[in-house]
Amino acid sequence: MIKILGFILTIGAAIVLALGVFSVFGSVNMGNAQWPMIILGIVFFFAGIGLLKYRKDTDVIDAETNGS
């Protein structure tokens, strides 16, 4: 479950970050939302990568506690 959340955060943040960067360079018109999207994209991207990299999945935790 934790790995799925990390994957969703990473993919969603990459999309938001790409839209923000495209908006800064003029390819996409997003009005005044370009810099908040870049900042939130960076924050959620690193949060998702952190979840994928450093957290054990709930299935692994259950297997370790049950001794299987």
Side-chain angles (χ1 to χ4, degrees):
M1 180 80 176
I2 294 172
K3 297 283 185 178
I4 295 170
L5 179 64
F7 184 72
I8 291 171
L9 276 173
T10 304
I11 297 300
I15 292 169
V16 170
L17 186 59
L19 286 174
V21 170
F22 287 151
S23 177
V24 167
F25 290 114
S27 299
V28 178
N29 187 9
M30 298 187 70
N32 291 332
Q34 58 193 3
W35 289 108
M37 287 189 70
I38 290 174
I39 293 169
L40 288 175
I42 291 170
V43 168
F44 285 123
F45 185 78
F46 284 117
I49 292 295
L51 282 176
L52 288 174
K53 198 172 185 182
Y54 297 114
R55 300 284 180 194
K56 292 183 180 178
D57 205 1
T58 52
D59 297 335
V60 174
I61 295 172
D62 289 340
E64 287 178 353
T65 57
N66 292 333
S68 303

